[in-house]
Amino acid sequence: MAQSTSSRQTARQWTVSGFEGYGSLKFSEEPIPDLGDSQVLVKIQGASLNYRDLMISKGQYPWLVKPGVVPGSDGAGTIIAVGKHVTRFQPGDKVITVINPKHLGGSINRQTSQFGLGASDDGTFRTIGVFDEQGLVEMPEYLSFTEAATLSCAGVTAWNALFGSSGRQLSAGQWLLTQGTGGVSIFAIQFAKAVGARVIATTSSSKRAKLLEKLGADHIINYSKTPEWGLVAKGLTGGTGVDMVIEVVGGESMRQSVESVKLDGTIAVVGAVSGEVAGGPTLMEPWINLFTVRGVWIGSRLQMEDMCRAIEANPDKLRPVVDSRVFGLDELREAYEYLESGKHQGKVCIHIQ
């Protein structure tokens, strides 16, 4: 019989009540749900934020969000109890959450795409949580809980973008173009350099350019001073063009991505921070310029396990970049505001006690 938890423990947690941004976040102490036969109880010790969390709090998330959801997709912690049918973990194991607990491997489908921690399912901004054993992976050694908590969204999204498409994986000697210093872009640079690829990175900040240099970017373009950065990037490759672009901005940025990519190259679209802009590339452009556009939604559990093994084997090169300001769980509203301000460098994290 599954262990009962609600009668003996409570969790401090945030919930989303309304769609007014951080003002919709409510902090409370609630009983822990009973532990199902295939579930595990996790003491959450680290979490990190994504722009997805801001969208959910504002009612802008395009997928299912249940009323009163516990937000947060990214978390790491220690298992403190397991259901009677659990075989993958035992108490004391350190684990990381997978955003979509139903997407174990292969192509995502309509049924599995409906699930997501912090949206359709209760997430990680709490002290203790019940999770399906299939929706967790083993935490890499050498990482802190806050570092490990950055991998659930940004880490595996970058991994999927670079290595998740059959026949179009980034490899040694190829050129990658990244945009800015958000979580996905930083991870993409780290992974690309680890396999021997060359990186052109864009930014508008000299301060952030120093971070890009530290990460190993081969060339850095200030897009605020160089509006036609796509052609400049192509010139840096000898006129051939980059093999892959990690497109995170959308809008007008897409035009420059098209200008930068080589014939038969790839643009991996992982976000659209700036939204849609009229006059951007059309569906004819991949045919005219012979490139592939690939949409990327996070990644599967198997991809996350591959990524974690790579990080464990290369902890110095692939250690996640965490912003110097780390928040406590009771400071979640301030963390949301800090993320939205754009003042951070690296992932915005929550230390949970």
Side-chain angles (χ1 to χ4, degrees):
M1 185 174 182
Q3 182 178 350
S4 176
T5 56
S6 60
S7 62
R8 61 183 180 83
Q9 290 192 77
T10 59
R12 291 179 293 117
Q13 64 180 40
W14 290 90
T15 54
V16 180
S17 178
F19 302 111
E20 288 79 43
Y22 351 119
S24 301
L25 300 174
K26 306 299 180 185
F27 198 41
S28 63
E29 187 164 340
E30 304 293 339
I32 298 169
D34 286 342
L35 187 62
D37 291 347
S38 298
Q39 294 179 319
V40 299
L41 190 65
V42 179
K43 176 179 173 58
I44 303 171
Q45 291 154 283
S48 72
L49 275 68
N50 299 287
Y51 284 100
R52 168 185 190 267
D53 300 310
L54 297 177
M55 295 174 69
I56 288 170
S57 72
K58 295 176 181 180
Q60 298 172 349
Y61 194 61
W63 294 281
L64 176 66
V65 177
K66 78 170 187 176
V69 70
V70 175
S73 58
D74 298 20
T78 305
I79 292 178
I80 54 180
V82 300
K84 68 178 183 179
H85 292 160
V86 170
T87 59
R88 299 184 65 238
F89 301 105
Q90 60 186 2
D93 287 347
K94 296 178 180 179
V95 294
I96 312 172
T97 55
V98 177
I99 287 186
N100 189 330
K102 304 296 184 182
H103 186 200
L104 304 185
S107 297
I108 197 166
N109 57 40
R110 184 176 180 181
Q111 287 71 36
T112 57
S113 70
Q114 302 301 310
F115 296 90
L117 288 189
S120 67
D121 299 347
D122 286 332
T124 59
F125 296 153
R126 49 182 166 166
T127 53
I128 298 176
V130 172
F131 300 94
D132 190 307
E133 68 163 330
Q134 301 299 334
L136 300 167
V137 299
E138 184 178 350
M139 180 174 141
E141 289 188 53
Y142 316 117
L143 298 188
S144 68
F145 287 108
T146 48
E147 288 172 333
T150 67
L151 301 175
S152 302
C153 182
V156 76
T157 298
W159 185 270
N160 185 4
L162 297 184
F163 311 120
S165 178
S166 179
R168 290 189 173 271
Q169 298 94 343
L170 190 73
S171 59
Q174 291 189 326
W175 287 95
L176 173 72
L177 189 146
T178 65
Q179 301 169 347
T181 53
V184 174
S185 296
I186 288 176
F187 276 115
I189 294 170
Q190 291 176 295
F191 295 149
K193 297 307 296 182
V195 300
R198 294 171 287 184
V199 175
I200 301 170
T202 68
T203 183
S204 62
S205 164
S206 58
K207 181 179 179 181
R208 292 180 177 180
K210 292 179 181 178
L211 172 60
L212 294 171
E213 289 175 3
K214 184 178 179 181
L215 292 169
D218 298 274
H219 301 280
I220 299 169
I221 302 172
N222 187 320
Y223 63 80
S224 65
K225 297 180 180 179
T226 310
E228 300 297 320
W229 53 262
L231 290 175
V232 173
K234 179 173 280 188
L236 291 170
T237 70
T240 300
V242 299
D243 296 273
M244 185 180 293
V245 179
I246 304 297
E247 175 61 58
V248 301
V249 180
E252 294 179 353
S253 169
M254 284 289 293
R255 169 58 55 198
Q256 296 306 312
S257 293
V258 170
E259 296 290 348
S260 74
V261 74
K262 75 171 189 177
L263 289 175
D264 203 29
T266 303
I267 299 177
V269 181
V270 304
V273 174
S274 72
E276 291 293 329
V277 174
T282 69
L283 288 175
M284 286 295 291
E285 305 240 11
W287 177 68
I288 294 171
N289 297 291
L290 199 63
F291 62 86
T292 296
V293 179
R294 176 176 175 245
V296 177
W297 286 358
I298 319 296
S300 68
R301 193 190 80 195
L302 290 179
Q303 289 174 325
M304 192 160 175
E305 289 171 335
D306 287 342
M307 174 193 65
C308 286
R309 283 190 288 269
I311 291 171
E312 192 165 69
N314 300 273
D316 294 331
K317 291 182 179 180
L318 299 180
R319 184 172 298 279
V321 178
V322 173
D323 188 81
S324 59
R325 185 176 180 186
V326 176
F327 296 82
L329 183 62
D330 59 346
E331 300 176 302
L332 187 65
R333 288 185 184 134
E334 290 88 340
Y336 270 57
E337 186 174 10
Y338 185 62
L339 176 66
E340 189 170 51
S341 74
K343 297 176 182 177
H344 58 289
Q345 288 196 59
K347 292 291 292 181
V348 177
C349 289
I350 308 293
H351 174 66
I352 303 175
Q353 297 178 317

